[in-house]
Amino acid sequence: MHPLHRWLFLLLAFLAASIAQAEVISLKILKREPFAGGQAFGDVGPYEQITAVARFAIDPKDVRNRVIVDLDLAPKNADGKVEFAADLVILCPKDSAKGNGAIFYDVNNRGNKLALGMFNRPPGGPGPDAKNPAGDGLLMRMGY
């Protein structure tokens, strides 16, 4: 299995392991580009940023999905399932063999990515921003 596919599989497996039961029906990679302008992070080296959209389908009749308010009122596809999508951004070492083999999953809040700002603080300043997307690069240097 290609190292990138392993990362995607792990992430999607984690996303699907929730109280409600959904299935991934597609994953569309929109772009792959060097992260932080191709900056190298210690022995791990440069990272790649993968931007994608994951599409899901959920059965409104499944008892595990009763926790979703008004799910039964949502439009359904030909199979009687409700479809939805989630944006996905993956940062991974360009050379996956240099990563630490673990995934660091950022549970975002209303679309805000928080982990880099919490762990990759630039010295004497706020969290990472467009001018400095990696902050001090702590997570990247550790191979996450």
PDB file of all heavy atoms in Angstrom, residues 73-91:
ATOM      1  N   LEU A  73     -35.506  14.252   7.915  1.00  0.00           N
ATOM      2  CA  LEU A  73     -36.067  15.301   7.063  1.00  0.00           C
ATOM      3  C   LEU A  73     -35.128  15.703   5.920  1.00  0.00           C
ATOM      4  O   LEU A  73     -35.525  16.439   5.019  1.00  0.00           O
ATOM      5  CB  LEU A  73     -36.387  16.550   7.902  1.00  0.00           C
ATOM      6  CG  LEU A  73     -37.377  16.331   9.053  1.00  0.00           C
ATOM      7  CD1 LEU A  73     -37.541  17.615   9.843  1.00  0.00           C
ATOM      8  CD2 LEU A  73     -38.704  15.821   8.530  1.00  0.00           C
ATOM      9  N   ALA A  74     -33.902  15.238   5.947  1.00  0.00           N
ATOM     10  CA  ALA A  74     -32.907  15.613   4.933  1.00  0.00           C
ATOM     11  C   ALA A  74     -33.186  14.904   3.605  1.00  0.00           C
ATOM     12  O   ALA A  74     -33.745  13.801   3.588  1.00  0.00           O
ATOM     13  CB  ALA A  74     -31.508  15.258   5.425  1.00  0.00           C
ATOM     14  N   PRO A  75     -32.782  15.520   2.477  1.00  0.00           N
ATOM     15  CA  PRO A  75     -32.943  14.859   1.171  1.00  0.00           C
ATOM     16  C   PRO A  75     -32.152  13.553   1.133  1.00  0.00           C
ATOM     17  O   PRO A  75     -31.079  13.448   1.735  1.00  0.00           O
ATOM     18  CB  PRO A  75     -32.351  15.868   0.184  1.00  0.00           C
ATOM     19  CG  PRO A  75     -32.284  17.163   0.916  1.00  0.00           C
ATOM     20  CD  PRO A  75     -32.186  16.846   2.367  1.00  0.00           C
ATOM     21  N   LYS A  76     -32.691  12.572   0.424  1.00  0.00           N
ATOM     22  CA  LYS A  76     -32.061  11.255   0.348  1.00  0.00           C
ATOM     23  C   LYS A  76     -31.675  10.921  -1.089  1.00  0.00           C
ATOM     24  O   LYS A  76     -32.320  11.382  -2.029  1.00  0.00           O
ATOM     25  CB  LYS A  76     -33.007  10.197   0.905  1.00  0.00           C
ATOM     26  CG  LYS A  76     -33.257  10.397   2.396  1.00  0.00           C
ATOM     27  CD  LYS A  76     -34.505   9.696   2.861  1.00  0.00           C
ATOM     28  CE  LYS A  76     -34.887  10.111   4.254  1.00  0.00           C
ATOM     29  NZ  LYS A  76     -35.335  11.488   4.379  1.00  0.00           N
ATOM     30  N   ASN A  77     -30.638  10.102  -1.242  1.00  0.00           N
ATOM     31  CA  ASN A  77     -30.222   9.662  -2.573  1.00  0.00           C
ATOM     32  C   ASN A  77     -31.072   8.461  -3.004  1.00  0.00           C
ATOM     33  O   ASN A  77     -32.007   8.062  -2.297  1.00  0.00           O
ATOM     34  CB  ASN A  77     -28.715   9.354  -2.609  1.00  0.00           C
ATOM     35  CG  ASN A  77     -28.322   8.188  -1.725  1.00  0.00           C
ATOM     36  OD1 ASN A  77     -29.143   7.371  -1.298  1.00  0.00           O
ATOM     37  ND2 ASN A  77     -27.026   8.080  -1.446  1.00  0.00           N
ATOM     38  N   ALA A  78     -30.739   7.861  -4.131  1.00  0.00           N
ATOM     39  CA  ALA A  78     -31.511   6.732  -4.670  1.00  0.00           C
ATOM     40  C   ALA A  78     -31.521   5.521  -3.736  1.00  0.00           C
ATOM     41  O   ALA A  78     -32.437   4.702  -3.778  1.00  0.00           O
ATOM     42  CB  ALA A  78     -30.949   6.327  -6.037  1.00  0.00           C
ATOM     43  N   ASP A  79     -30.507   5.414  -2.862  1.00  0.00           N
ATOM     44  CA  ASP A  79     -30.431   4.308  -1.904  1.00  0.00           C
ATOM     45  C   ASP A  79     -31.127   4.626  -0.585  1.00  0.00           C
ATOM     46  O   ASP A  79     -31.051   3.839   0.361  1.00  0.00           O
ATOM     47  CB  ASP A  79     -28.971   3.945  -1.627  1.00  0.00           C
ATOM     48  CG  ASP A  79     -28.251   3.429  -2.853  1.00  0.00           C
ATOM     49  OD1 ASP A  79     -28.913   2.761  -3.686  1.00  0.00           O
ATOM     50  OD2 ASP A  79     -27.039   3.685  -2.984  1.00  0.00           O
ATOM     51  N   GLY A  80     -31.752   5.808  -0.488  1.00  0.00           N
ATOM     52  CA  GLY A  80     -32.436   6.205   0.740  1.00  0.00           C
ATOM     53  C   GLY A  80     -31.506   6.743   1.806  1.00  0.00           C
ATOM     54  O   GLY A  80     -31.881   6.866   2.968  1.00  0.00           O
ATOM     55  N   LYS A  81     -30.270   7.072   1.431  1.00  0.00           N
ATOM     56  CA  LYS A  81     -29.295   7.586   2.389  1.00  0.00           C
ATOM     57  C   LYS A  81     -29.111   9.092   2.217  1.00  0.00           C
ATOM     58  O   LYS A  81     -29.342   9.642   1.140  1.00  0.00           O
ATOM     59  CB  LYS A  81     -27.958   6.874   2.226  1.00  0.00           C
ATOM     60  CG  LYS A  81     -28.062   5.394   2.575  1.00  0.00           C
ATOM     61  CD  LYS A  81     -26.745   4.708   2.485  1.00  0.00           C
ATOM     62  CE  LYS A  81     -26.901   3.233   2.873  1.00  0.00           C
ATOM     63  NZ  LYS A  81     -25.630   2.537   2.771  1.00  0.00           N
ATOM     64  N   VAL A  82     -28.676   9.732   3.281  1.00  0.00           N
ATOM     65  CA  VAL A  82     -28.390  11.160   3.266  1.00  0.00           C
ATOM     66  C   VAL A  82     -26.897  11.328   3.007  1.00  0.00           C
ATOM     67  O   VAL A  82     -26.079  10.702   3.680  1.00  0.00           O
ATOM     68  CB  VAL A  82     -28.781  11.812   4.612  1.00  0.00           C
ATOM     69  CG1 VAL A  82     -28.369  13.278   4.644  1.00  0.00           C
ATOM     70  CG2 VAL A  82     -30.277  11.662   4.859  1.00  0.00           C
ATOM     71  N   GLU A  83     -26.563  12.139   2.029  1.00  0.00           N
ATOM     72  CA  GLU A  83     -25.157  12.376   1.689  1.00  0.00           C
ATOM     73  C   GLU A  83     -24.692  13.713   2.259  1.00  0.00           C
ATOM     74  O   GLU A  83     -25.472  14.650   2.355  1.00  0.00           O
ATOM     75  CB  GLU A  83     -24.964  12.359   0.177  1.00  0.00           C
ATOM     76  CG  GLU A  83     -25.211  11.006  -0.433  1.00  0.00           C
ATOM     77  CD  GLU A  83     -24.882  10.958  -1.921  1.00  0.00           C
ATOM     78  OE1 GLU A  83     -24.183  11.857  -2.428  1.00  0.00           O
ATOM     79  OE2 GLU A  83     -25.344  10.012  -2.585  1.00  0.00           O
ATOM     80  N   PHE A  84     -23.422  13.752   2.622  1.00  0.00           N
ATOM     81  CA  PHE A  84     -22.802  14.994   3.087  1.00  0.00           C
ATOM     82  C   PHE A  84     -21.319  14.936   2.783  1.00  0.00           C
ATOM     83  O   PHE A  84     -20.786  13.880   2.422  1.00  0.00           O
ATOM     84  CB  PHE A  84     -23.070  15.233   4.582  1.00  0.00           C
ATOM     85  CG  PHE A  84     -22.509  14.167   5.492  1.00  0.00           C
ATOM     86  CD1 PHE A  84     -21.299  14.350   6.120  1.00  0.00           C
ATOM     87  CD2 PHE A  84     -23.208  12.994   5.726  1.00  0.00           C
ATOM     88  CE1 PHE A  84     -20.785  13.379   6.969  1.00  0.00           C
ATOM     89  CE2 PHE A  84     -22.713  12.017   6.568  1.00  0.00           C
ATOM     90  CZ  PHE A  84     -21.499  12.214   7.196  1.00  0.00           C
ATOM     91  N   ALA A  85     -20.665  16.076   2.899  1.00  0.00           N
ATOM     92  CA  ALA A  85     -19.241  16.158   2.555  1.00  0.00           C
ATOM     93  C   ALA A  85     -18.472  16.846   3.670  1.00  0.00           C
ATOM     94  O   ALA A  85     -19.039  17.602   4.464  1.00  0.00           O
ATOM     95  CB  ALA A  85     -19.062  16.929   1.245  1.00  0.00           C
ATOM     96  N   ALA A  86     -17.186  16.566   3.715  1.00  0.00           N
ATOM     97  CA  ALA A  86     -16.291  17.208   4.679  1.00  0.00           C
ATOM     98  C   ALA A  86     -14.997  17.575   3.972  1.00  0.00           C
ATOM     99  O   ALA A  86     -14.446  16.777   3.211  1.00  0.00           O
ATOM    100  CB  ALA A  86     -15.998  16.269   5.843  1.00  0.00           C
ATOM    101  N   ASP A  87     -14.540  18.799   4.220  1.00  0.00           N
ATOM    102  CA  ASP A  87     -13.236  19.218   3.709  1.00  0.00           C
ATOM    103  C   ASP A  87     -12.161  18.508   4.520  1.00  0.00           C
ATOM    104  O   ASP A  87     -12.335  18.243   5.713  1.00  0.00           O
ATOM    105  CB  ASP A  87     -13.062  20.726   3.834  1.00  0.00           C
ATOM    106  CG  ASP A  87     -14.029  21.493   2.959  1.00  0.00           C
ATOM    107  OD1 ASP A  87     -14.432  20.961   1.915  1.00  0.00           O
ATOM    108  OD2 ASP A  87     -14.386  22.621   3.324  1.00  0.00           O
ATOM    109  N   LEU A  88     -11.044  18.237   3.881  1.00  0.00           N
ATOM    110  CA  LEU A  88      -9.984  17.469   4.507  1.00  0.00           C
ATOM    111  C   LEU A  88      -8.646  18.069   4.101  1.00  0.00           C
ATOM    112  O   LEU A  88      -8.420  18.334   2.920  1.00  0.00           O
ATOM    113  CB  LEU A  88     -10.103  16.028   4.007  1.00  0.00           C
ATOM    114  CG  LEU A  88      -9.229  14.940   4.534  1.00  0.00           C
ATOM    115  CD1 LEU A  88      -9.490  14.715   6.004  1.00  0.00           C
ATOM    116  CD2 LEU A  88      -9.523  13.658   3.772  1.00  0.00           C
ATOM    117  N   VAL A  89      -7.786  18.318   5.071  1.00  0.00           N
ATOM    118  CA  VAL A  89      -6.426  18.785   4.795  1.00  0.00           C
ATOM    119  C   VAL A  89      -5.479  17.848   5.533  1.00  0.00           C
ATOM    120  O   VAL A  89      -5.627  17.622   6.732  1.00  0.00           O
ATOM    121  CB  VAL A  89      -6.196  20.241   5.263  1.00  0.00           C
ATOM    122  CG1 VAL A  89      -4.758  20.658   5.048  1.00  0.00           C
ATOM    123  CG2 VAL A  89      -7.138  21.191   4.535  1.00  0.00           C
ATOM    124  N   ILE A  90      -4.534  17.292   4.796  1.00  0.00           N
ATOM    125  CA  ILE A  90      -3.566  16.363   5.374  1.00  0.00           C
ATOM    126  C   ILE A  90      -2.179  16.934   5.173  1.00  0.00           C
ATOM    127  O   ILE A  90      -1.807  17.323   4.061  1.00  0.00           O
ATOM    128  CB  ILE A  90      -3.653  14.979   4.700  1.00  0.00           C
ATOM    129  CG1 ILE A  90      -5.050  14.396   4.886  1.00  0.00           C
ATOM    130  CG2 ILE A  90      -2.587  14.039   5.257  1.00  0.00           C
ATOM    131  CD1 ILE A  90      -5.308  13.153   4.060  1.00  0.00           C
ATOM    132  N   LEU A  91      -1.417  17.000   6.248  1.00  0.00           N
ATOM    133  CA  LEU A  91      -0.007  17.361   6.169  1.00  0.00           C
ATOM    134  C   LEU A  91       0.772  16.086   6.440  1.00  0.00           C
ATOM    135  O   LEU A  91       0.552  15.422   7.456  1.00  0.00           O
ATOM    136  CB  LEU A  91       0.347  18.413   7.229  1.00  0.00           C
ATOM    137  CG  LEU A  91      -0.415  19.728   7.157  1.00  0.00           C
ATOM    138  CD1 LEU A  91      -0.021  20.632   8.321  1.00  0.00           C
ATOM    139  CD2 LEU A  91      -0.161  20.427   5.833  1.00  0.00           C
TER     140      LEU A  91
END
